[in-house]
Amino acid sequence: MDELQQEQQAERIQNVDLEKEIKKSFLAYSMSVIVSRALPDVRDGLKPVHRRILYTMYENSLWPEKPYRKCADTVGTVLGRYHPHGDASVYDALVRLAQDFSMRYMLVDGHGNFGSVDGDPPAAYRYTEARMSKLSVEMLTDIDKETVDFSPNYDDRLKEPNVLPSHFPNLLVNGSTGIAVGMATNIPPHNMGEVINGMCRLIDNPDIPLDELMESIQGPDFPTGGVIMGRSGIRAAYATGRGRITVRARTEIEEGKDGRSKIIVTEIPYQVNKARLIENIADLVKEKRIEGITNVEDHSDRNGMYIVIDVRRDASPQIVLNQLFSYTQLQTTFGVIMLAIVNGEPKTLTLKQILQEYIDFQESVIVRRTQFDLRKAQERMHILEGLKIAVDNIDEIIRIIRTSKDRPEARMRMTERFGLDDIQTQAIVQMPLGSLTGLERQKLEDEIHTLGEKIEDYLDILANRSRVLAIIKDEALVMKKKFSDERRTEIMAVSGEVDIEDLIPQEECVLTLTNFGYVKRQKVDMYKLQRRGGRGVNGMTRRDEDVATEMFVINSHDYVMFFTDLGRVYRLKCYEVPEGSRTGRGMNIANLLPLAPGEKVTSMIRVPQFEEGKYLVMVTRNGVIKRTALEAYNTARKGGLIALTLDEGDVLSWVKMTDGNSELIVATKKGMAIHFAETDVREMGRTARGVKAITLREGDCVVGMSRVRENGLVLTVSETGYGRLSPVSDYRMQSRGGKGIINYHTEKYGEVAAIRTVDLDDDVIMISADGVIIRIMASSIRVCARPSKGVRVMRITGEENKVVTIARAPHDEEEVDDVEVEDDGFAEDAADAVVEEPEEEILPVDDAEE
């Protein structure tokens, strides 16, 4: 017997190659993990466990309007019906679908503790409750119309969907993260409105280039906000399926009343643990790897994130912030890998391919749904046609039924007499007597007519692919209207990127700089034209006592040079300045430039390009002027350059770009002005001190320097809101360094706020100390002789209020917001219109030492 068993065992033993067997088994295991566990499907963007959770909620009727149900119930049902794995894996997946810091658009509406951005774990599933969100209902709409395929569950007892109909591109909208065997996916979330706009553009133009597609889909939009630095990583990810995106926390440097600076963090990068981040900062300070931080406090609450980092008085907040970006997760890299399951196989997809796969899937869903509706309509039409025959021959139908011994015989006789089939005869014998009334007969005919139109429409949809695509667009736009919101993640331009210029549109902008150093960029059409003397509109929300000091119109691709009171110059591209709203105060310039402690930007100018024959003319508050070739400042050094060497107590306040042969007018606060040729100031080196522009009286200072243009007029505006235009010829040419001539009677009409050289077809934008902005036509201001008062150009309210700065802008043809003006007349009297003789001109003093 033993010998027989040995022979039988020997027959069952097979010699196999171990290497091949391990390879085969491992590949089978790998594909099982890849397809059935770790990677999302390109069509609905869900992994199997997420799909099973949502489908189970759908089966259990956990609608958004129904009461919440314990998560334990949902988890147990998912395990019992479709997902024979550990309960922890199911609950963890359910929790993530309900976290507003994980999902851009939540698919589960949770009630209870579902964890926090600090890494706190969720409560056990016996304590939490959940139901479907309104958005997840849209993922399952039409699933009962045979729009998707179903497969047997793990024990062949039930059927589960292979994919959900998903009426929005969930893979891009909510993203996905997963690690399989030998591969991983990391798809960032996006803004619903942008993705749907991009999808519609791809439907309209299947050959659309990536640049045009990115006009709609700008980049990822994380639920936690933050700032994406540059577009090159986004472009690489969209073009190839792989890319690296640098994400920064949203920070702002605030200066306290005690002179100390604070770094305020209001948003952190996606998937960063806030508590661990703060702990890491504290450790770096203890280890002295980051110096200059005195305290870190977390003031976050249900209203939002608010981390306060106190900076030592003698430390540069920008340098400290840069160290935080370098050493902590205030700046992270999001590695994009757009890997998904396509037709049962994992594939790395481009942005366009993901959208096209989704469009193809939706085309299949619409076709299958229409086929289902058509079949149901035809089946109903078939029954109605039988009922109509019965109603038209009701007497004979009743006779057949009454003379038949049972229903089968009656149905057989009706079939023989009228050619009806079993379905029609069954409906006839079940028809109630009430259906024989005239009203019911009319309803029957109306239903037949309506169904006939629907069937024609369904057949037309199935015969025309263009109609199917139009339905996809229409339904997507409905989703956009219902669920789209504003972008949370800002995409900040970074200089030095190869393709950055191509991705940013060229447009006219208004740059504004405030006294406290807040800068913002806005589209020029945000300031609409008003009548002279109007009250204006609110231009910004300011800190106490903050005022706008600089404003000009610039192209988004031009350079902006920032000059500081310490005589240094920094440069940025205009598009690198974040865009702000009309009432927003903008971003502190210390967040954009590496300013030294106490350093303040006093002037900024537009530089289209650094070319030969152009010069920068600089004037300080104490009347020193300097002229240097523009090319001397053409450097990309982030630390800035020395613009000029200043005397103690002096500040650089005015800078203009010239062609080397310009005429300049320098005006003072006490009403003096001097007009001289630019060539009177010899060209100097970049670090030179400069020479005297005007001899100032005691207590006087320079309030403006303007370059004379052909046919231009000199606009003088007083702090009290009066202004006038005067011909340049009123300001006779003098030699540099004199006292100048009288420009305005300040003792009678108020001190001078600013001067500009304008044309009559320009618009003038004025800002008052309380932050009010008004835009008027230059031609609405009276042309008066040099010393006269002029007309009211801006109504100033309040004793402490005054005009602080003016700017020239191209004329805007659209005129709105007309305001009734009080008729204050033009010149006060005839004497004001007479040119007074200037004071005796003083000869120029010797040039100061450079």
Side-chain angles (χ1 to χ4, degrees), residues 567-587:
R568 296 186 64 81
V569 58
Y570 305 83
R571 83 173 191 187
L572 294 173
K573 281 281 192 176
C574 174
Y575 57 69
E576 294 181 69
V577 178
E579 185 172 355
S581 64
R582 177 172 59 83
T583 57
R585 67 180 179 182
M587 176 178 285

Side-chain angles (χ1 to χ4, degrees), residues 42 171-172 338 349-358:
V42 72
L171 183 63
L172 285 173
M338 299 207 290
L349 304 166
T350 65
L351 174 67
K352 190 174 177 181
Q353 288 173 335
I354 290 178
L355 289 173
Q356 191 60 57
E357 289 288 344
Y358 175 76

Side-chain angles (χ1 to χ4, degrees), residues 5 109 155 181 231 246 331 349 353 411 425 452 459 464 488 537 569 592 613 618 646 703 721 723 772 781:
Q5 290 177 343
D109 180 8
D155 59 1
V181 179
R231 288 178 169 83
T246 301
Q331 176 173 304
L349 304 166
Q353 288 173 335
R411 291 170 60 186
T425 57
L459 291 172
N464 295 288
R488 297 181 187 176
V537 295
V569 58
L592 301 174
M618 290 163 264
L646 290 168
V703 293
V772 172
I781 304 174

Side-chain angles (χ1 to χ4, degrees), residues 492-785:
M492 184 175 291
V494 175
S495 58
E497 291 187 344
V498 176
D499 58 355
I500 191 67
E501 300 281 353
D502 301 329
L503 295 175
I504 295 176
Q506 294 204 21
E507 56 187 6
E508 292 297 305
C509 306
V510 173
L511 278 190
T512 305
L513 179 69
T514 75
N515 186 48
F516 280 7
Y518 288 92
V519 63
K520 67 176 177 178
R521 169 173 57 93
Q522 302 164 268
K523 294 179 181 177
V524 73
D525 57 4
M526 296 189 73
Y527 297 115
K528 299 300 183 182
L529 195 64
Q530 294 185 333
R531 300 286 189 190
R532 173 180 62 81
R535 176 66 179 82
V537 295
N538 284 328
M540 66 191 68
T541 302
R542 305 167 295 105
R543 292 172 57 188
D544 292 342
E545 301 176 358
D546 194 11
V547 295
T549 56
E550 286 280 351
M551 171 187 282
F552 55 75
V553 179
I554 181 174
N555 187 279
S556 58
H557 283 228
D558 290 346
Y559 284 104
V560 187
M561 298 187 72
F562 296 89
F563 294 84
T564 73
D565 56 352
L566 301 184
R568 296 186 64 81
V569 58
Y570 305 83
R571 83 173 191 187
L572 294 173
K573 281 281 192 176
C574 174
Y575 57 69
E576 294 181 69
V577 178
E579 185 172 355
S581 64
R582 177 172 59 83
T583 57
R585 67 180 179 182
M587 176 178 285
N588 195 302
I589 195 69
N591 290 303
L592 301 174
L593 304 175
L595 301 178
E599 188 175 12
K600 179 182 176 182
V601 173
T602 57
S603 183
M604 61 180 185
I605 67 167
R606 166 192 173 187
V607 181
Q609 56 185 348
F610 291 86
E611 53 184 331
E612 293 184 12
K614 295 292 185 181
Y615 296 86
L616 289 179
V617 176
M618 290 163 264
V619 175
T620 71
R621 190 176 299 275
N622 290 345
V624 174
I625 188 170
K626 173 189 165 185
R627 183 167 70 107
T628 304
L630 177 64
E631 289 181 309
Y633 300 94
N634 186 13
T635 176
R637 282 186 56 188
K638 293 186 178 296
L641 294 172
I642 295 175
L644 82 168
T645 301
L646 290 168
D647 296 334
E648 186 176 353
D650 200 3
V651 296
L652 174 60
S653 54
W654 299 96
V655 182
K656 294 289 181 183
M657 189 166 63
T658 68
D659 58 5
N661 297 300
S662 300
E663 295 177 7
L664 306 174
I665 294 179
V666 177
T668 74
K669 189 174 184 178
K670 298 295 184 182
M672 301 301 292
I674 188 169
H675 178 194
F676 58 88
E678 175 189 349
T679 52
D680 279 4
V681 184
R682 65 178 179 273
E683 183 181 343
M684 306 175 193
R686 181 170 57 80
T687 60
R689 171 191 176 274
V691 295
K692 182 178 290 188
I694 186 171
T695 300
L696 299 174
R697 297 174 178 177
E698 185 177 352
D700 201 0
C701 64
V702 174
V703 293
M705 181 261 289
S706 186
R707 181 171 55 87
V708 175
R709 299 196 313 279
E710 186 177 358
N711 299 323
L713 296 169
V714 179
L715 171 63
T716 302
V717 176
S718 73
E719 293 179 347
T720 55
Y722 287 87
R724 61 141 215 278
L725 296 173
S726 300
V728 174
S729 58
D730 278 9
Y731 300 82
R732 69 173 183 272
M733 289 285 289
Q734 299 177 249
S735 298
R736 172 191 58 80
K739 285 186 177 181
I741 59 178
I742 297 176
N743 177 41
Y744 202 72
H745 292 303
T746 57
E747 66 281 357
K748 294 169 62 177
Y749 309 132
E751 295 180 333
V752 176
I755 67 163
R756 286 285 188 279
T757 303
V758 301
D759 299 321
L760 288 177
D761 57 356
D762 287 336
D763 288 345
V764 178
I765 301 173
M766 286 167 284
I767 309 176
S768 65
D770 59 357
V772 172
I773 297 177
I774 185 172
R775 179 172 184 158
I776 65 173
M777 295 172 58
S779 58
S780 68
I781 304 174
R782 170 101 181 227
V783 179
C784 305

Side-chain angles (χ1 to χ4, degrees), residues 143-188:
I143 197 171
D144 55 351
K145 292 188 176 182
E146 301 177 1
T147 52
V148 295
D149 294 329
F150 282 69
S151 298
N153 71 334
Y154 63 92
D155 59 1
D156 287 338
R157 181 170 51 91
L158 301 168
K159 296 283 188 179
E160 63 174 306
N162 295 340
V163 66
L164 300 185
S166 186
H167 289 287
F168 66 96
N170 183 58
L171 183 63
L172 285 173
V173 167
N174 274 319
S176 185
T177 301
I179 300 175
V181 179
M183 59 184 63
T185 186
N186 201 26
I187 303 173

